[in-house]
Amino acid sequence: MNIDQPVQTYWPGAPESWDAITLRHLLNHTSGIPNVTSFDDFREWKYLPTARDDLITRFSDRPLEITPGDTWSYSNSGYLVLSAIVEEVGGKPYADFVDENIFTPLGMEDTAIDVTAEIVPLRAEGYSPFESGMVNADYVDMGIPQGAGALYSTTHDLLKWQRGLFGGRLLTPSSLEAFRTPAAS
């Protein structure tokens, strides 16, 4: 897989407006694809399970916010597209792919892609700042974020991740260098 290939190389249904977008642009938040979690209606549907393709349809027909590669603009949508590409190219659900290729090889036994309906013993809940102090974080169906943040882990497993990532167990030296190089700002 070449991250400098256009998205449609791996996602043939990509709209024409994405022709100049590469996987690197998605990875670096320089694609220009609007951030679906910033849409006004996200507050209305974030509670409901949403199929992958339906989720991508919510933003695929919107105009790009920047010219791909010009500047950095955070977008969860790019990581939703990357998750879909992993599923298509890998031939399996995203959760299975990352388990088989990252979590299991690194011995990360307390890390997984979160599934809202599953009981996870000792799962911590998130908090958000509010005018009066901290409050419980708002609910989001965890089927929505996928590769854009549906992960749960422990500090022990995060140490295994850090050692695996920077210890050469996941990326080649050139890929690690690319990972560590800042994108456009």
Side-chain angles (χ1 to χ4, degrees):
M1 184 174 256
N2 181 343
I3 66 171
D4 291 313
Q5 288 294 311
V7 166
Q8 68 260 48
T9 303
Y10 305 104
W11 187 259
E16 263 185 58
S17 62
W18 296 6
D19 284 356
I21 298 173
T22 66
L23 300 184
R24 185 181 303 272
H25 292 135
L26 298 175
L27 289 164
N28 289 338
H29 294 284
T30 59
S31 71
I33 297 174
N35 183 10
V36 70
T37 59
S38 295
F39 295 174
D40 290 339
D41 67 344
F42 181 69
R43 292 177 182 247
E44 299 167 17
W45 58 266
K46 69 181 181 178
Y47 308 107
L48 305 172
T50 306
R52 178 192 80 184
D53 292 347
D54 293 339
L55 183 57
I56 292 173
T57 298
R58 289 185 179 273
F59 57 83
S60 63
D61 63 344
R62 298 208 183 193
L64 298 180
E65 295 178 340
I66 58 169
T67 301
D70 274 4
T71 189
W72 184 89
S73 180
Y74 185 87
S75 177
N76 285 307
S77 302
Y79 276 74
L80 297 174
V81 174
L82 285 167
S83 300
I85 290 171
V86 165
E87 289 185 338
E88 293 300 313
V89 173
K92 60 185 69 175
Y94 177 76
D96 293 345
F97 184 88
V98 295
D99 184 56
E100 292 173 18
N101 291 281
I102 299 172
F103 307 149
T104 297
L106 294 180
M108 298 172 68
E109 297 175 2
D110 296 315
T111 301
I113 299 301
D114 204 355
V115 176
T116 301
E118 289 182 3
I119 302 297
V120 179
L122 304 175
R123 175 174 25 197
E125 296 298 324
Y127 298 94
S128 295
F130 196 69
E131 296 165 357
S132 60
M134 298 303 283
V135 297
N136 287 318
D138 199 8
Y139 175 86
V140 174
D141 181 86
M142 293 311 290
I144 293 173
Q146 291 294 308
L151 185 73
Y152 69 82
S153 192
T154 64
T155 55
H156 294 288
D157 273 7
L158 292 175
L159 179 59
K160 292 175 184 178
W161 159 257
Q162 188 269 344
R163 287 178 174 164
L165 178 63
F166 294 104
R169 294 186 59 202
L170 293 177
L171 299 175
T172 64
S174 62
S175 292
L176 182 60
E177 183 61 32
F179 167 75
R180 297 179 67 181
T181 302
S185 56

